[in-house]
Amino acid sequence: MRGKQEHGVRLRAVLIGLPLVWLSGEWIFEGEMARYTFATWAVPFYNAIYLLLILTLTNMWVARRWPGLALRRLELLAIYAMVSVGSALMSSDMQGMLITIIGHSTYFADS
């Protein structure tokens, strides 16, 4: 084993991921409501892949300049998961299904 390995996701990965979730939500809202393009019809979501690409390229640049500040692979994966789940919940298709499913179990509980 080379040196001390750190495990887990640091808080800064979550703090980077939250604005990216918001940005992805804005992207999806603009695409679905104004332009009638659906980023969440194809998996993996292209908006999440694009944001991960930009984040990875930025992380490579940071790793060359300040190696201690670079995000680890697990943190990049966590940010990607945050953006993907946020994108799925933000899509108009998911909202239509989610709202109808919420009351389903209560309505049919006595059946």
Side-chain angles (χ1 to χ4, degrees), residues 13-28:
V14 175
L15 294 177
I16 291 170
L18 288 175
L20 290 177
V21 169
W22 175 81
L23 179 66
S24 177
E26 289 292 320
W27 186 348
I28 289 172

Side-chain angles (χ1 to χ4, degrees), residues 56-94:
T56 302
L57 293 175
T58 305
N59 193 49
M60 289 170 56
W61 179 78
V62 168
R64 286 188 181 155
R65 297 226 185 253
W66 307 284
L69 295 177
L71 295 169
R72 297 187 302 255
R73 286 181 283 184
L74 183 62
E75 293 170 330
L76 290 170
L77 181 63
I79 293 171
Y80 171 72
M82 288 172 62
V83 171
S84 291
V85 171
S87 297
L89 292 175
M90 182 61 185
S91 72
S92 62
D93 293 331
M94 179 62 174

Side-chain angles (χ1 to χ4, degrees), residues 103-111:
H104 182 80
S105 60
T106 305
Y107 184 78
F108 289 105
D110 295 332
S111 298

Side-chain angles (χ1 to χ4, degrees), residues 3-51:
K4 181 182 173 186
Q5 290 186 352
E6 298 178 25
H7 299 287
V9 177
R10 294 178 281 196
L11 178 63
R12 69 182 178 145
V14 175
L15 294 177
I16 291 170
L18 288 175
L20 290 177
V21 169
W22 175 81
L23 179 66
S24 177
E26 289 292 320
W27 186 348
I28 289 172
F29 183 79
E30 174 69 23
E32 290 185 357
M33 298 303 166
R35 303 183 192 279
Y36 204 68
T37 60
F38 297 92
T40 55
W41 279 8
V43 175
F45 305 143
Y46 66 79
N47 59 326
I49 295 293
Y50 181 76
L51 289 174

